Amino acid sequence: MNLKSGTLLWHETLPTPPQYPVLEEDITCDVLVIGGGEAGTTCSYLLTENGVDTVLVERRHIGYGSTSANTGLLQFANDKTLTACIHSFGVEGGVRFYQLCKDAVDDLETITSKLDFSSDFIRRDSLYYASTPDDLASLRTEYDNLKTHGFPVTWMDANAIGKSFSFSRPGAIYSTGDAEINPYKLANALVSTASKKGLRVYQDTEVRHHIKEGDELVFHTSTGKQIRCKTAVFATGYETQEIHTNKNAVLTSSYAIATQPLADFPGWPNRCLIWETARPYLYLRTTADNRIVVGGLDEPSPLAEARDAKLVSKTQQLLDKVEQLFPGVGKLRADFAWSAAFGGTHDGLPMFGVQDEFPGCYFLLGYGGNGTVYSAIGGRIICDLIVKGKHPDADLFAFNRRKSPTFV
């Protein structure tokens, strides 16, 4: 699958990432993790921390797939509002999902503080604004639900927004406790650290197929070698849909740019994360080297050819939108611009757990606009299912969870 195209920012921030060998011999392990993006690397790191004999294989290089196109916003709020989650999964399930996302941001802060090198984790606040006056009532309901259930939010009316920012909108939810991160550095730092604690890592090694032999799984690779294991974790991202289609999965296309480094960010207090109620939505952040990253303008087609044909026009549209919000930053240019496959789900939650067609295997699919956070949640869940045999929140994300009528 063609996962992304264009010029990507994150590769430039780690020009000489750690390298790992190609698999050149038959090996055995307790757990095989397939996929070296954020999901697979997080899970591998946690398994290794728990003393599990783990092997990680990646068909490209670590973090080189969809992770390198991730824009790295870490939020407890989601594409699917808390209000909508409560409607779909009940108060307990909806609130628990949001709490898990909030806890995952804290978890990532703790994890990144222990890694070999920085992944540019920086705490940020978030502004979620009403794109039009018609969105104001539903946004206010969302604020009331978040506040009622203890999330750290305040309400800003149009006057307050206009006084603080270089733009005004009908209303907004201002949240604390979120963060930003460099997802490519994160994946590489997780593997670098875990490899020194026993994780075996192989790049340029693709898993082609596998069979079950008694209590073991035998995976055959592109190098002609075999990996025998007791358990496997498929953390293969959007390409999983080429292995096994999930009715709940929705693949689309998205776009992002990164500007030149800037000296200042006038009208942008605390360099907070910014997004909006419109769907598809515009979202913005800054980076450790003082660029603006802005993304959005999603398209429903997942086809790479159609996606990439619009990159030039989408780049200009994104530049225009950020200049309208922040005229004080001056003329902007896109030093980096990319298009990428993007995956979500019909019911708004990522998918973690087992699938009947794959005995002995777990799937860790952090589909949705909060992919880094979902990888942290899913990594914990899958690790506990393997190590302890259970996790209290596993059912919420299971593939056979209660389904919405839109995709039954």
Side-chain angles (χ1 to χ4, degrees):
M1 178 183 287
N2 182 328
L3 294 173
K4 82 278 187 194
S5 300
T7 54
L8 289 101
L9 167 65
W10 304 127
H11 292 164
E12 300 295 320
T13 66
L14 190 65
T16 55
Q19 297 296 304
Y20 304 95
V22 174
L23 182 64
E24 295 181 337
E25 61 181 348
D26 295 341
I27 59 173
T28 62
C29 59
D30 288 338
V31 178
L32 170 65
V33 178
I34 307 164
E38 287 179 298
T41 57
T42 301
C43 189
S44 297
Y45 173 85
L46 294 172
L47 287 167
T48 303
E49 287 287 296
N50 278 271
V52 178
D53 178 22
T54 305
V55 166
L56 170 66
V57 296
E58 164 57 43
R59 64 186 297 189
R60 304 176 180 91
H61 289 192
I62 299 300
Y64 207 80
S66 294
T67 289
S68 63
N70 185 323
T71 48
L73 283 73
L74 309 180
Q75 299 172 291
F76 65 79
N78 285 266
D79 291 5
K80 183 164 183 165
T81 63
L82 175 60
T83 306
C85 286
I86 289 172
H87 183 266
S88 295
F89 304 105
V91 173
E92 182 178 356
V95 173
R96 182 58 182 160
F97 173 47
Y98 262 59
Q99 186 61 51
L100 285 168
C101 291
K102 183 176 181 298
D103 292 346
V105 179
D106 297 338
D107 194 19
L108 284 163
E109 182 174 33
T110 300
I111 290 173
T112 55
S113 70
K114 301 176 181 178
L115 301 181
D116 283 353
F117 54 87
S118 172
S119 55
D120 298 335
F121 180 101
I122 302 173
R123 284 288 184 174
R124 297 292 187 198
D125 300 337
S126 288
L127 182 80
Y128 182 40
Y129 65 72
S131 303
T132 70
D134 290 342
D135 296 336
L136 196 58
S138 60
L139 186 63
R140 182 72 199 205
T141 299
E142 176 68 2
Y143 164 77
D144 290 339
N145 278 323
L146 288 166
K147 192 72 173 178
T148 296
H149 294 288
F151 292 96
V153 294
T154 56
W155 179 258
M156 298 183 73
D157 60 20
N159 184 55
I161 297 169
K163 286 183 176 180
S164 298
F165 292 84
S166 61
F167 58 87
S168 186
R169 290 295 184 272
I173 298 171
Y174 194 85
S175 309
T176 58
D178 290 335
E180 66 188 31
I181 203 165
N182 181 323
Y184 183 63
K185 281 187 176 181
L186 173 63
N188 278 279
L190 286 164
V191 174
S192 175
T193 305
S195 66
K196 295 173 183 175
K197 298 181 179 181
L199 175 68
R200 288 176 282 166
V201 187
Y202 300 94
Q203 66 184 32
D204 296 315
T205 301
E206 181 180 0
V207 166
R208 293 285 175 83
H209 65 276
H210 76 279
I211 58 174
K212 188 170 176 56
E213 290 186 356
D215 294 332
E216 286 188 323
L217 299 170
V218 182
F219 285 82
H220 297 263
T221 72
S222 56
T223 62
K225 303 303 178 181
Q226 296 181 2
I227 305 172
R228 290 182 175 269
C229 60
K230 299 174 183 177
T231 306
V233 179
F234 283 85
T236 41
Y238 308 141
E239 291 173 310
T240 309
Q241 299 311 304
E242 297 178 332
I243 301 169
H244 178 69
T245 301
N246 299 111
K247 292 182 179 180
N248 195 5
V250 184
L251 297 185
T252 58
S253 298
S254 191
Y255 301 85
I257 63 170
T259 69
Q260 76 271 29
L262 302 172
D264 195 16
F265 298 88
W268 193 339
N270 303 319
R271 293 167 60 166
C272 65
L273 312 179
I274 299 175
W275 59 311
E276 62 174 337
T277 56
R279 294 294 185 271
Y281 56 84
L282 187 76
Y283 55 93
L284 302 93
R285 58 161 289 190
T286 60
T287 66
D289 61 346
N290 299 319
R291 303 175 190 273
I292 296 175
V293 172
V294 53
L297 305 180
D298 294 9
E299 291 285 342
S301 173
L303 299 177
E305 184 175 327
R307 178 191 78 209
D308 298 344
K310 299 180 179 180
L311 180 56
V312 172
S313 63
K314 295 287 187 179
T315 296
Q316 188 57 54
Q317 290 175 55
L318 290 169
L319 280 171
D320 291 344
K321 287 182 178 295
V322 71
E323 286 179 347
Q324 290 166 13
L325 288 171
F326 298 106
V329 301
K331 186 65 176 176
L332 297 174
R333 69 173 186 269
D335 280 358
F336 302 89
W338 63 95
S339 61
F342 175 74
T345 59
H346 286 288
D347 68 358
L349 269 64
M351 300 177 288
F352 315 135
V354 299
Q355 300 193 70
D356 291 340
E357 300 87 344
F358 295 82
C361 300
Y362 293 94
F363 286 77
L364 204 176
L365 306 183
Y367 290 11
N370 221 352
T372 309
V373 168
Y374 295 165
S375 293
I377 296 171
R380 288 285 181 194
I381 288 175
I382 298 301
C383 180
D384 277 5
L385 289 175
I386 292 171
V387 174
K388 302 176 182 178
K390 61 181 179 179
H391 188 286
D393 299 299
D395 288 348
L396 183 61
F397 302 100
F399 285 82
N400 62 350
R401 62 186 179 242
R402 181 173 64 84
K403 294 179 171 62
S404 162
T406 59
F407 66 92
V408 166

